[in-house]
Amino acid sequence: MDPRDTPGYRLHRALSNLNDIDVEQLDSADWERIDTAVTLLEQVSLLTRPAATEDAGVHVDS
């Protein structure tokens, strides 16, 4: 099975890529955008973990 087909792979890659950016070379507006994006992706990551959906009683039909 291709690891790119696993749930959360793209989310993890996006978060990883944002964390790899050298923010010290960016202006403050771009730094804030990256900080906001990282925060939002981390929040989504918490919501998409299987344990989070089990605790919330959420069921996904596929």
Side-chain angles (χ1 to χ4, degrees), residues 26-43:
L26 300 175
D27 61 20
S28 62
D30 287 336
W31 184 89
E32 287 180 30
R33 288 184 193 108
I34 289 174
D35 187 50
T36 300
V38 167
T39 300
L40 292 171
L41 285 170
E42 288 173 344
Q43 290 172 356

Side-chain angles (χ1 to χ4, degrees), residues 4-59:
R4 292 175 289 191
D5 292 336
T6 58
Y9 174 81
R10 289 184 180 156
L11 180 67
H12 169 73
R13 290 296 304 151
L15 188 56
S16 178
N17 288 338
L18 285 172
N19 284 329
D20 288 342
I21 294 174
D22 184 10
V23 293
E24 292 182 14
Q25 301 208 3
L26 300 175
D27 61 20
S28 62
D30 287 336
W31 184 89
E32 287 180 30
R33 288 184 193 108
I34 289 174
D35 187 50
T36 300
V38 167
T39 300
L40 292 171
L41 285 170
E42 288 173 344
Q43 290 172 356
V44 168
S45 178
L46 290 174
L47 293 174
T48 58
R49 290 185 183 155
T53 56
E54 289 172 7
D55 292 343
V58 175
H59 301 285

